[in-house]
Amino acid sequence: MKSCLVVDDSRVVRKVARKILEELHFTCSEAEDGKQAMEACAREMPNAVLLDWNMPVMNGIDFLRRLRKMSGGDQPKVVFCTTENDLAHIQEALSAGANEYIMKPFDSDIIQTKFAQIGLI
């Protein structure tokens, strides 16, 4: 079973994403900011990361840049899931190493489609 780390400062968003991902047969763990996400990846690297942009402590783009420099950090597929929908944010995320980009609000079909496009399902 593949694993996904859901990183978002909103408990509701994490809960909704987790339910969708578990229905897609992922084991899920959660982090509420980039710092917690770094600690989780240091313990065990997930197959996928569903990542918010705007969070306290460490935001999503800073987390992604650090993740990609970690040993094994090139392996997880990273999908940004954010309200930041302008082209500059999308280009920045992709150049930092994101594999895909989802706009909030999202639903099961959107997550399933994006995860399929990058080979996770």
Side-chain angles (χ1 to χ4, degrees):
M1 191 176 270
K2 290 187 178 176
S3 60
C4 184
L5 175 61
V6 180
V7 188
D8 199 297
D9 57 329
S10 165
R11 194 176 71 78
V12 172
V13 170
R14 290 194 313 267
K15 189 173 179 180
V16 170
R18 181 180 200 121
K19 182 180 185 307
I20 291 168
L21 289 161
E22 286 175 345
E23 287 172 358
L24 295 172
H25 308 292
F26 282 84
T27 59
C28 292
S29 54
E30 300 177 19
E32 60 186 51
D33 60 53
K35 183 176 181 292
Q36 286 185 6
M38 288 301 300
E39 292 164 357
C41 290
R43 284 190 303 273
E44 184 176 350
M45 199 61 73
N47 299 108
V49 179
L50 188 65
L51 181 62
D52 186 22
W53 192 294
N54 297 306
M55 298 176 290
V57 187
M58 183 191 297
N59 66 28
I61 197 76
D62 289 343
F63 162 78
L64 178 57
R65 288 186 177 120
R66 290 183 190 185
L67 172 71
R68 292 305 192 208
K69 292 177 183 172
M70 288 176 71
S71 174
D74 59 332
Q75 295 302 309
K77 301 286 188 181
V78 176
V79 178
F80 258 104
C81 182
T82 181
T83 57
E84 301 294 349
N85 62 0
D86 58 279
L87 190 57
H89 276 93
I90 295 169
Q91 288 176 329
E92 184 177 1
L94 295 175
S95 68
N99 299 91
E100 206 30 275
Y101 206 94
I102 296 173
M103 305 299 163
K104 288 179 182 175
F106 58 87
D107 61 21
S108 181
D109 289 343
I110 291 168
I111 288 183
Q112 187 167 357
T113 298
K114 293 291 185 178
F115 274 48
Q117 285 174 349
I118 58 176
L120 284 166
I121 52 176

Short mmCIF file of all heavy atoms in Angstrom, two decimals, residues 4-48:
data_model
loop_
_atom_site.label_atom_id
_atom_site.label_comp_id
_atom_site.label_asym_id
_atom_site.label_seq_id
_atom_site.Cartn_x
_atom_site.Cartn_y
_atom_site.Cartn_z
N CYS A 4 0.85 8.45 1.81
CA CYS A 4 0.75 9.86 1.45
C CYS A 4 0.79 10.70 2.72
O CYS A 4 0.07 10.41 3.68
CB CYS A 4 -0.53 10.15 0.68
SG CYS A 4 -0.63 11.88 0.11
N LEU A 5 1.63 11.72 2.72
CA LEU A 5 1.69 12.69 3.80
C LEU A 5 0.84 13.89 3.38
O LEU A 5 1.10 14.49 2.33
CB LEU A 5 3.15 13.11 4.04
CG LEU A 5 3.39 14.21 5.06
CD1 LEU A 5 2.90 13.81 6.45
CD2 LEU A 5 4.86 14.59 5.10
N VAL A 6 -0.18 14.20 4.17
CA VAL A 6 -1.06 15.33 3.90
C VAL A 6 -0.59 16.50 4.77
O VAL A 6 -0.60 16.40 6.00
CB VAL A 6 -2.54 14.98 4.21
CG1 VAL A 6 -3.44 16.18 3.93
CG2 VAL A 6 -2.98 13.76 3.41
N VAL A 7 -0.16 17.59 4.12
CA VAL A 7 0.42 18.73 4.83
C VAL A 7 -0.46 19.95 4.61
O VAL A 7 -0.52 20.50 3.51
CB VAL A 7 1.85 19.03 4.34
CG1 VAL A 7 2.49 20.08 5.22
CG2 VAL A 7 2.70 17.76 4.30
N ASP A 8 -1.17 20.35 5.66
CA ASP A 8 -2.06 21.51 5.58
C ASP A 8 -2.32 22.00 6.99
O ASP A 8 -2.46 21.19 7.90
CB ASP A 8 -3.39 21.12 4.90
CG ASP A 8 -4.15 22.32 4.37
OD1 ASP A 8 -4.54 23.17 5.18
OD2 ASP A 8 -4.34 22.40 3.14
N ASP A 9 -2.38 23.32 7.17
CA ASP A 9 -2.64 23.85 8.50
C ASP A 9 -4.10 23.77 8.89
O ASP A 9 -4.44 23.98 10.05
CB ASP A 9 -2.11 25.29 8.65
CG ASP A 9 -2.68 26.25 7.63
OD1 ASP A 9 -2.99 25.83 6.50
OD2 ASP A 9 -2.81 27.44 7.95
N SER A 10 -4.98 23.42 7.96
CA SER A 10 -6.40 23.25 8.26
C SER A 10 -6.69 21.78 8.59
O SER A 10 -6.50 20.89 7.75
CB SER A 10 -7.26 23.68 7.06
OG SER A 10 -8.58 23.21 7.21
N ARG A 11 -7.18 21.54 9.80
CA ARG A 11 -7.54 20.19 10.21
C ARG A 11 -8.64 19.62 9.32
O ARG A 11 -8.64 18.43 8.98
CB ARG A 11 -7.98 20.20 11.68
CG ARG A 11 -8.05 18.81 12.30
CD ARG A 11 -8.39 18.87 13.78
NE ARG A 11 -9.77 19.26 14.02
CZ ARG A 11 -10.82 18.44 13.91
NH1 ARG A 11 -10.65 17.19 13.56
NH2 ARG A 11 -12.04 18.87 14.15
N VAL A 12 -9.59 20.47 8.92
CA VAL A 12 -10.70 20.03 8.07
C VAL A 12 -10.18 19.56 6.71
O VAL A 12 -10.58 18.51 6.21
CB VAL A 12 -11.75 21.16 7.90
CG1 VAL A 12 -12.80 20.79 6.87
CG2 VAL A 12 -12.40 21.48 9.24
N VAL A 13 -9.27 20.33 6.12
CA VAL A 13 -8.71 19.95 4.82
C VAL A 13 -7.95 18.63 4.95
O VAL A 13 -8.09 17.74 4.10
CB VAL A 13 -7.80 21.06 4.26
CG1 VAL A 13 -7.02 20.57 3.04
CG2 VAL A 13 -8.62 22.30 3.92
N ARG A 14 -7.16 18.50 6.01
CA ARG A 14 -6.43 17.23 6.21
C ARG A 14 -7.39 16.06 6.33
O ARG A 14 -7.16 14.99 5.76
CB ARG A 14 -5.53 17.31 7.46
CG ARG A 14 -4.35 18.25 7.30
CD ARG A 14 -3.30 18.07 8.40
NE ARG A 14 -3.82 18.00 9.75
CZ ARG A 14 -3.94 19.03 10.57
NH1 ARG A 14 -3.62 20.25 10.17
NH2 ARG A 14 -4.40 18.86 11.80
N LYS A 15 -8.47 16.25 7.08
CA LYS A 15 -9.44 15.17 7.30
C LYS A 15 -10.13 14.77 5.98
O LYS A 15 -10.28 13.58 5.69
CB LYS A 15 -10.47 15.65 8.33
CG LYS A 15 -11.40 14.58 8.82
CD LYS A 15 -12.26 15.13 9.96
CE LYS A 15 -13.23 14.08 10.46
NZ LYS A 15 -14.07 14.58 11.56
N VAL A 16 -10.53 15.76 5.19
CA VAL A 16 -11.19 15.48 3.91
C VAL A 16 -10.23 14.78 2.95
O VAL A 16 -10.57 13.76 2.33
CB VAL A 16 -11.74 16.79 3.28
CG1 VAL A 16 -12.20 16.55 1.84
CG2 VAL A 16 -12.89 17.34 4.12
N ALA A 17 -9.00 15.30 2.85
CA ALA A 17 -8.00 14.69 1.95
C ALA A 17 -7.70 13.27 2.39
O ALA A 17 -7.59 12.36 1.55
CB ALA A 17 -6.74 15.53 1.94
N ARG A 18 -7.56 13.07 3.69
CA ARG A 18 -7.25 11.74 4.21
C ARG A 18 -8.34 10.73 3.84
O ARG A 18 -8.05 9.62 3.40
CB ARG A 18 -7.08 11.81 5.73
CG ARG A 18 -6.74 10.47 6.34
CD ARG A 18 -6.59 10.58 7.86
NE ARG A 18 -5.83 9.46 8.30
CZ ARG A 18 -4.69 9.51 8.96
NH1 ARG A 18 -4.16 10.65 9.30
NH2 ARG A 18 -4.06 8.41 9.30
N LYS A 19 -9.60 11.14 3.98
CA LYS A 19 -10.72 10.25 3.64
C LYS A 19 -10.66 9.86 2.16
O LYS A 19 -10.79 8.68 1.81
CB LYS A 19 -12.05 10.94 3.96
CG LYS A 19 -13.27 10.07 3.68
CD LYS A 19 -14.55 10.83 4.02
CE LYS A 19 -15.77 9.97 3.88
NZ LYS A 19 -15.92 9.31 2.59
N ILE A 20 -10.42 10.83 1.29
CA ILE A 20 -10.34 10.56 -0.15
C ILE A 20 -9.17 9.63 -0.44
O ILE A 20 -9.31 8.64 -1.17
CB ILE A 20 -10.18 11.88 -0.93
CG1 ILE A 20 -11.48 12.70 -0.85
CG2 ILE A 20 -9.80 11.62 -2.39
CD1 ILE A 20 -11.35 14.13 -1.35
N LEU A 21 -8.02 9.92 0.13
CA LEU A 21 -6.82 9.12 -0.14
C LEU A 21 -6.94 7.70 0.40
O LEU A 21 -6.49 6.75 -0.25
CB LEU A 21 -5.59 9.82 0.42
CG LEU A 21 -5.19 11.08 -0.36
CD1 LEU A 21 -4.29 11.97 0.48
CD2 LEU A 21 -4.55 10.71 -1.68
N GLU A 22 -7.55 7.55 1.56
CA GLU A 22 -7.75 6.20 2.10
C GLU A 22 -8.69 5.39 1.21
O GLU A 22 -8.51 4.19 1.05
CB GLU A 22 -8.21 6.27 3.55
CG GLU A 22 -7.06 6.68 4.48
CD GLU A 22 -7.47 6.89 5.93
OE1 GLU A 22 -8.69 7.00 6.22
OE2 GLU A 22 -6.56 6.96 6.79
N GLU A 23 -9.67 6.06 0.60
CA GLU A 23 -10.56 5.37 -0.34
C GLU A 23 -9.80 4.94 -1.60
O GLU A 23 -10.18 3.99 -2.27
CB GLU A 23 -11.74 6.27 -0.73
CG GLU A 23 -12.76 6.42 0.40
CD GLU A 23 -13.83 7.45 0.12
OE1 GLU A 23 -13.80 8.10 -0.95
OE2 GLU A 23 -14.71 7.61 0.98
N LEU A 24 -8.69 5.64 -1.89
CA LEU A 24 -7.84 5.28 -3.03
C LEU A 24 -6.72 4.32 -2.60
O LEU A 24 -5.76 4.12 -3.34
CB LEU A 24 -7.23 6.55 -3.64
CG LEU A 24 -8.24 7.53 -4.27
CD1 LEU A 24 -7.55 8.83 -4.67
CD2 LEU A 24 -8.94 6.89 -5.47
N HIS A 25 -6.84 3.77 -1.40
CA HIS A 25 -5.94 2.75 -0.85
C HIS A 25 -4.55 3.28 -0.50
O HIS A 25 -3.55 2.57 -0.69
CB HIS A 25 -5.85 1.55 -1.78
CG HIS A 25 -7.20 1.00 -2.16
ND1 HIS A 25 -8.01 0.37 -1.26
CD2 HIS A 25 -7.88 1.04 -3.33
CE1 HIS A 25 -9.14 0.04 -1.86
NE2 HIS A 25 -9.09 0.43 -3.11
N PHE A 26 -4.49 4.51 0.01
CA PHE A 26 -3.24 5.05 0.56
C PHE A 26 -3.29 4.98 2.07
O PHE A 26 -4.35 5.15 2.67
CB PHE A 26 -3.06 6.53 0.17
CG PHE A 26 -2.58 6.74 -1.22
CD1 PHE A 26 -3.47 6.75 -2.29
CD2 PHE A 26 -1.24 6.94 -1.48
CE1 PHE A 26 -3.04 6.94 -3.59
CE2 PHE A 26 -0.79 7.14 -2.78
CZ PHE A 26 -1.68 7.14 -3.84
N THR A 27 -2.16 4.72 2.69
CA THR A 27 -2.05 4.95 4.13
C THR A 27 -1.64 6.42 4.27
O THR A 27 -0.82 6.91 3.50
CB THR A 27 -0.98 4.05 4.79
OG1 THR A 27 0.28 4.30 4.17
CG2 THR A 27 -1.35 2.58 4.66
N CYS A 28 -2.23 7.10 5.23
CA CYS A 28 -2.02 8.54 5.35
C CYS A 28 -1.44 8.92 6.70
O CYS A 28 -1.76 8.34 7.72
CB CYS A 28 -3.34 9.29 5.18
SG CYS A 28 -3.99 9.19 3.51
N SER A 29 -0.57 9.91 6.65
CA SER A 29 -0.12 10.60 7.85
C SER A 29 -0.34 12.08 7.59
O SER A 29 -0.57 12.50 6.45
CB SER A 29 1.34 10.27 8.15
OG SER A 29 2.15 10.54 7.03
N GLU A 30 -0.30 12.86 8.66
CA GLU A 30 -0.63 14.28 8.54
C GLU A 30 0.43 15.14 9.21
O GLU A 30 1.09 14.72 10.16
CB GLU A 30 -1.98 14.56 9.20
CG GLU A 30 -3.14 13.81 8.61
CD GLU A 30 -4.45 14.08 9.35
OE1 GLU A 30 -4.55 15.10 10.08
OE2 GLU A 30 -5.39 13.27 9.20
N ALA A 31 0.57 16.37 8.69
CA ALA A 31 1.40 17.39 9.30
C ALA A 31 0.68 18.72 9.11
O ALA A 31 0.04 18.93 8.07
CB ALA A 31 2.77 17.43 8.66
N GLU A 32 0.80 19.61 10.11
CA GLU A 32 0.08 20.88 9.99
C GLU A 32 0.96 22.04 9.53
O GLU A 32 0.48 23.15 9.36
CB GLU A 32 -0.66 21.22 11.27
CG GLU A 32 0.19 21.37 12.50
CD GLU A 32 -0.66 21.56 13.75
OE1 GLU A 32 -1.59 20.77 13.99
OE2 GLU A 32 -0.37 22.51 14.49
N ASP A 33 2.24 21.77 9.29
CA ASP A 33 3.12 22.78 8.71
C ASP A 33 4.33 22.08 8.11
O ASP A 33 4.53 20.88 8.27
CB ASP A 33 3.53 23.84 9.75
CG ASP A 33 4.27 23.27 10.93
OD1 ASP A 33 5.29 22.55 10.73
OD2 ASP A 33 3.86 23.52 12.08
N GLY A 34 5.15 22.87 7.40
CA GLY A 34 6.31 22.30 6.73
C GLY A 34 7.33 21.70 7.66
O GLY A 34 7.99 20.71 7.33
N LYS A 35 7.49 22.28 8.84
CA LYS A 35 8.46 21.75 9.81
C LYS A 35 8.05 20.35 10.25
O LYS A 35 8.87 19.43 10.28
CB LYS A 35 8.56 22.69 11.02
CG LYS A 35 9.59 22.25 12.05
CD LYS A 35 9.71 23.29 13.17
CE LYS A 35 10.75 22.91 14.20
NZ LYS A 35 10.39 21.73 15.00
N GLN A 36 6.77 20.17 10.62
CA GLN A 36 6.29 18.83 10.99
C GLN A 36 6.43 17.86 9.81
O GLN A 36 6.75 16.69 10.00
CB GLN A 36 4.82 18.89 11.42
CG GLN A 36 4.60 19.48 12.78
CD GLN A 36 3.13 19.38 13.20
OE1 GLN A 36 2.31 18.78 12.52
NE2 GLN A 36 2.81 19.99 14.33
N ALA A 37 6.20 18.36 8.61
CA ALA A 37 6.31 17.51 7.42
C ALA A 37 7.76 17.06 7.22
O ALA A 37 8.01 15.90 6.87
CB ALA A 37 5.80 18.26 6.20
N MET A 38 8.72 17.97 7.44
CA MET A 38 10.14 17.60 7.33
C MET A 38 10.49 16.50 8.33
O MET A 38 11.17 15.53 7.99
CB MET A 38 11.05 18.81 7.59
CG MET A 38 11.07 19.85 6.49
SD MET A 38 11.61 19.28 4.88
CE MET A 38 13.26 18.71 5.23
N GLU A 39 10.00 16.66 9.55
CA GLU A 39 10.26 15.66 10.59
C GLU A 39 9.65 14.31 10.20
O GLU A 39 10.28 13.26 10.38
CB GLU A 39 9.70 16.15 11.94
CG GLU A 39 10.48 17.35 12.48
CD GLU A 39 9.75 18.11 13.59
OE1 GLU A 39 8.60 17.74 13.94
OE2 GLU A 39 10.33 19.08 14.10
N ALA A 40 8.44 14.33 9.65
CA ALA A 40 7.78 13.09 9.23
C ALA A 40 8.57 12.42 8.10
O ALA A 40 8.75 11.20 8.11
CB ALA A 40 6.35 13.38 8.77
N CYS A 41 9.06 13.20 7.15
CA CYS A 41 9.83 12.64 6.03
C CYS A 41 11.18 12.10 6.50
O CYS A 41 11.68 11.12 5.94
CB CYS A 41 10.02 13.68 4.94
SG CYS A 41 8.49 14.08 4.06
N ALA A 42 11.75 12.73 7.51
CA ALA A 42 13.03 12.24 8.06
C ALA A 42 12.83 10.89 8.73
O ALA A 42 13.71 10.03 8.68
CB ALA A 42 13.59 13.26 9.06
N ARG A 43 11.64 10.68 9.33
CA ARG A 43 11.34 9.38 9.96
C ARG A 43 11.07 8.31 8.91
O ARG A 43 11.56 7.20 8.99
CB ARG A 43 10.13 9.51 10.90
CG ARG A 43 10.42 10.18 12.22
CD ARG A 43 9.27 10.06 13.20
NE ARG A 43 8.01 10.59 12.69
CZ ARG A 43 7.62 11.87 12.78
NH1 ARG A 43 8.40 12.76 13.36
NH2 ARG A 43 6.46 12.26 12.31
N GLU A 44 10.23 8.66 7.94
CA GLU A 44 9.87 7.70 6.89
C GLU A 44 9.38 8.47 5.67
O GLU A 44 8.40 9.20 5.74
CB GLU A 44 8.76 6.75 7.38
CG GLU A 44 8.42 5.69 6.37
CD GLU A 44 7.40 4.69 6.88
OE1 GLU A 44 7.08 4.71 8.08
OE2 GLU A 44 6.94 3.89 6.06
N MET A 45 10.07 8.29 4.55
CA MET A 45 9.75 9.01 3.32
C MET A 45 8.47 8.43 2.72
O MET A 45 8.39 7.24 2.46
CB MET A 45 10.92 8.89 2.34
CG MET A 45 10.91 9.92 1.25
SD MET A 45 11.05 11.65 1.79
CE MET A 45 12.76 11.76 2.28
N PRO A 46 7.45 9.28 2.47
CA PRO A 46 6.21 8.79 1.87
C PRO A 46 6.34 8.62 0.36
O PRO A 46 7.30 9.12 -0.25
CB PRO A 46 5.21 9.91 2.20
CG PRO A 46 6.07 11.15 2.23
CD PRO A 46 7.40 10.71 2.78
N ASN A 47 5.39 7.94 -0.25
CA ASN A 47 5.34 7.83 -1.71
C ASN A 47 4.82 9.12 -2.33
O ASN A 47 5.17 9.44 -3.47
CB ASN A 47 4.42 6.69 -2.15
CG ASN A 47 4.89 5.35 -1.64
OD1 ASN A 47 4.29 4.77 -0.74
ND2 ASN A 47 5.99 4.86 -2.19
N ALA A 48 3.97 9.83 -1.58
CA ALA A 48 3.34 11.04 -2.09
C ALA A 48 3.18 12.07 -0.98
O ALA A 48 3.09 11.71 0.20
CB ALA A 48 1.96 10.71 -2.67
#
